[in-house]
Short mmCIF file of all heavy atoms in Angstrom, two decimals:
data_model
loop_
_atom_site.label_atom_id
_atom_site.label_comp_id
_atom_site.label_asym_id
_atom_site.label_seq_id
_atom_site.Cartn_x
_atom_site.Cartn_y
_atom_site.Cartn_z
N TYR G 107 223.70 -120.26 103.78
CA TYR G 107 224.60 -120.32 102.64
C TYR G 107 225.95 -120.86 103.12
O TYR G 107 226.74 -120.19 103.79
CB TYR G 107 224.86 -118.89 102.12
CG TYR G 107 223.60 -118.11 101.82
CD1 TYR G 107 223.33 -116.90 102.40
CD2 TYR G 107 222.70 -118.58 100.84
CE1 TYR G 107 222.20 -116.14 102.07
CE2 TYR G 107 221.50 -117.87 100.53
CZ TYR G 107 221.26 -116.67 101.15
OH TYR G 107 220.18 -115.95 100.88
N THR G 108 226.22 -122.09 102.62
CA THR G 108 227.55 -122.65 102.85
C THR G 108 228.32 -122.82 101.54
O THR G 108 229.55 -122.90 101.60
CB THR G 108 227.46 -124.00 103.53
OG1 THR G 108 226.58 -124.86 102.83
CG2 THR G 108 226.90 -123.86 104.96
N GLY G 109 227.67 -122.87 100.46
CA GLY G 109 228.28 -123.07 99.14
C GLY G 109 229.12 -121.82 98.75
O GLY G 109 230.33 -122.00 98.28
N ALA G 110 228.57 -120.70 98.95
CA ALA G 110 229.24 -119.46 98.48
C ALA G 110 230.63 -119.28 99.09
O ALA G 110 231.62 -119.07 98.29
CB ALA G 110 228.36 -118.24 98.71
N PHE G 113 232.95 -121.89 97.57
CA PHE G 113 233.37 -121.61 96.16
C PHE G 113 234.48 -120.56 96.14
O PHE G 113 235.45 -120.60 95.37
CB PHE G 113 232.13 -121.07 95.34
CG PHE G 113 231.12 -122.10 94.99
CD1 PHE G 113 229.77 -121.73 94.96
CD2 PHE G 113 231.47 -123.42 94.70
CE1 PHE G 113 228.81 -122.65 94.69
CE2 PHE G 113 230.47 -124.33 94.38
CZ PHE G 113 229.18 -123.93 94.39
N GLY G 173 231.94 -111.32 102.31
CA GLY G 173 230.50 -111.32 101.89
C GLY G 173 229.93 -112.58 101.32
O GLY G 173 228.69 -112.75 101.52
N PRO G 174 230.63 -113.43 100.61
CA PRO G 174 229.96 -114.55 100.02
C PRO G 174 229.34 -115.46 101.06
O PRO G 174 229.99 -115.98 101.99
CB PRO G 174 231.08 -115.36 99.31
CG PRO G 174 232.13 -114.32 98.96
CD PRO G 174 232.04 -113.38 100.14
N GLY G 175 227.99 -115.62 100.98
CA GLY G 175 227.26 -116.44 101.93
C GLY G 175 227.20 -115.88 103.32
O GLY G 175 226.90 -116.63 104.32
N LEU G 176 227.38 -114.60 103.47
CA LEU G 176 227.36 -113.99 104.84
C LEU G 176 225.97 -113.88 105.38
O LEU G 176 225.75 -114.05 106.60
CB LEU G 176 228.01 -112.62 104.69
CG LEU G 176 228.05 -111.72 105.93
CD1 LEU G 176 228.86 -112.39 106.97
CD2 LEU G 176 228.69 -110.37 105.59
N GLY G 177 225.00 -113.63 104.53
CA GLY G 177 223.66 -113.44 105.00
C GLY G 177 223.50 -111.99 105.54
O GLY G 177 224.41 -111.18 105.47
N ARG G 178 222.30 -111.66 106.07
CA ARG G 178 222.04 -110.27 106.47
C ARG G 178 221.65 -110.10 107.91
O ARG G 178 221.00 -109.18 108.33
CB ARG G 178 221.05 -109.65 105.57
CG ARG G 178 221.57 -109.55 104.15
CD ARG G 178 220.58 -109.06 103.16
NE ARG G 178 221.18 -109.26 101.84
CZ ARG G 178 220.47 -109.06 100.69
NH1 ARG G 178 219.13 -108.71 100.75
NH2 ARG G 178 221.04 -109.26 99.57
N ALA G 204 228.65 -109.76 97.40
CA ALA G 204 227.39 -110.29 97.89
C ALA G 204 226.85 -109.49 99.11
O ALA G 204 226.73 -108.29 99.07
CB ALA G 204 227.59 -111.80 98.29
N ASP G 205 226.65 -110.18 100.30
CA ASP G 205 226.08 -109.48 101.46
C ASP G 205 227.08 -108.48 102.05
O ASP G 205 226.60 -107.59 102.83
CB ASP G 205 225.59 -110.48 102.47
CG ASP G 205 224.58 -111.45 101.92
OD1 ASP G 205 223.65 -110.96 101.26
OD2 ASP G 205 224.75 -112.67 102.08
N ASN G 228 226.85 -107.58 91.42
CA ASN G 228 226.07 -108.04 90.20
C ASN G 228 225.08 -106.89 89.90
O ASN G 228 225.14 -105.80 90.54
CB ASN G 228 225.42 -109.34 90.50
CG ASN G 228 224.41 -109.35 91.62
OD1 ASN G 228 223.91 -108.28 92.04
ND2 ASN G 228 224.07 -110.49 92.20
N HIS G 229 224.20 -107.14 89.00
CA HIS G 229 223.28 -106.13 88.53
C HIS G 229 222.51 -105.44 89.70
O HIS G 229 222.44 -104.22 89.85
CB HIS G 229 222.30 -106.75 87.52
CG HIS G 229 221.29 -105.88 87.05
ND1 HIS G 229 221.47 -104.98 85.96
CD2 HIS G 229 219.99 -105.64 87.39
CE1 HIS G 229 220.37 -104.34 85.75
NE2 HIS G 229 219.50 -104.72 86.59
N VAL G 230 221.88 -106.34 90.57
CA VAL G 230 221.09 -105.84 91.59
C VAL G 230 221.91 -105.09 92.67
O VAL G 230 221.53 -104.06 93.18
CB VAL G 230 220.35 -107.06 92.26
CG1 VAL G 230 219.53 -106.57 93.49
CG2 VAL G 230 219.43 -107.73 91.29
N GLU G 231 223.04 -105.67 92.98
CA GLU G 231 223.92 -105.09 93.99
C GLU G 231 224.48 -103.69 93.54
O GLU G 231 224.63 -102.79 94.35
CB GLU G 231 225.10 -106.06 94.33
CG GLU G 231 224.67 -107.32 95.05
CD GLU G 231 225.53 -108.55 94.90
OE1 GLU G 231 226.44 -108.47 94.06
OE2 GLU G 231 225.29 -109.52 95.60
N ARG G 234 221.72 -101.13 93.98
CA ARG G 234 221.56 -100.78 95.35
C ARG G 234 222.69 -99.87 95.87
O ARG G 234 222.45 -98.88 96.56
CB ARG G 234 221.59 -102.13 96.22
CG ARG G 234 221.09 -102.02 97.64
CD ARG G 234 221.26 -103.36 98.37
NE ARG G 234 220.24 -104.37 97.82
CZ ARG G 234 220.61 -105.61 97.47
NH1 ARG G 234 221.89 -106.01 97.60
NH2 ARG G 234 219.70 -106.43 97.10
N GLY G 293 226.79 -119.00 92.01
CA GLY G 293 228.15 -119.31 92.50
C GLY G 293 229.25 -118.82 91.62
O GLY G 293 230.43 -118.81 92.03
N ASP G 296 230.94 -116.00 93.17
CA ASP G 296 231.74 -116.37 94.30
C ASP G 296 233.14 -116.84 93.80
O ASP G 296 234.20 -116.51 94.44
CB ASP G 296 231.10 -117.51 95.11
CG ASP G 296 229.68 -117.10 95.50
OD1 ASP G 296 229.47 -115.95 95.93
OD2 ASP G 296 228.78 -117.91 95.39
N1 NPW P 63 225.42 -121.99 96.75
C1 NPW P 63 225.41 -120.92 97.55
O1 NPW P 63 225.57 -121.01 98.76
C2 NPW P 63 225.24 -119.60 96.98
C3 NPW P 63 224.97 -118.51 97.77
N2 NPW P 63 224.89 -117.24 97.38
C4 NPW P 63 224.71 -116.23 98.42
O2 NPW P 63 223.37 -115.91 98.48
C5 NPW P 63 223.27 -114.67 99.21
C6 NPW P 63 222.34 -113.70 98.40
O3 NPW P 63 222.93 -113.36 97.17
P1 NPW P 63 222.14 -113.10 95.82
O4 NPW P 63 223.12 -112.83 94.71
O5 NPW P 63 221.26 -114.28 95.60
O6 NPW P 63 221.46 -111.77 96.13
P2 NPW P 63 219.94 -111.21 96.40
O7 NPW P 63 220.13 -109.87 96.85
O8 NPW P 63 219.25 -112.16 97.26
O9 NPW P 63 219.36 -111.17 94.97
C7 NPW P 63 218.86 -112.28 94.31
C8 NPW P 63 217.85 -111.86 93.31
O10 NPW P 63 218.24 -110.71 92.58
C9 NPW P 63 217.76 -110.79 91.23
N3 NPW P 63 218.87 -110.78 90.25
C10 NPW P 63 220.13 -111.32 90.42
N4 NPW P 63 220.87 -111.07 89.35
C11 NPW P 63 220.13 -110.32 88.53
C12 NPW P 63 220.42 -109.73 87.30
N5 NPW P 63 221.61 -109.88 86.65
N6 NPW P 63 219.41 -109.04 86.71
C13 NPW P 63 218.22 -108.92 87.28
N7 NPW P 63 217.88 -109.43 88.53
C14 NPW P 63 218.89 -110.16 89.13
C15 NPW P 63 216.97 -112.09 91.17
O11 NPW P 63 215.65 -111.75 91.44
P3 NPW P 63 214.37 -112.38 90.70
O12 NPW P 63 214.80 -112.97 89.39
O13 NPW P 63 213.93 -113.41 91.67
O14 NPW P 63 213.43 -111.30 90.54
C16 NPW P 63 217.54 -112.89 92.33
O15 NPW P 63 216.68 -113.78 92.83
C17 NPW P 63 224.70 -114.14 99.29
O16 NPW P 63 225.19 -114.39 100.53
C18 NPW P 63 225.42 -114.92 98.26
O17 NPW P 63 226.76 -115.03 98.42
C19 NPW P 63 225.12 -116.90 96.01
O18 NPW P 63 226.52 -116.49 95.96
C20 NPW P 63 224.87 -118.02 95.08
C21 NPW P 63 225.39 -119.36 95.53
#
Side-chain angles (χ1 to χ4, degrees):
Y107 307 123
T108 52
F113 289 143
L176 176 62
R178 294 176 190 170
D205 302 312
N228 63 20
H229 178 84
V230 175
E231 291 155 349
R234 195 182 288 133
D296 306 318

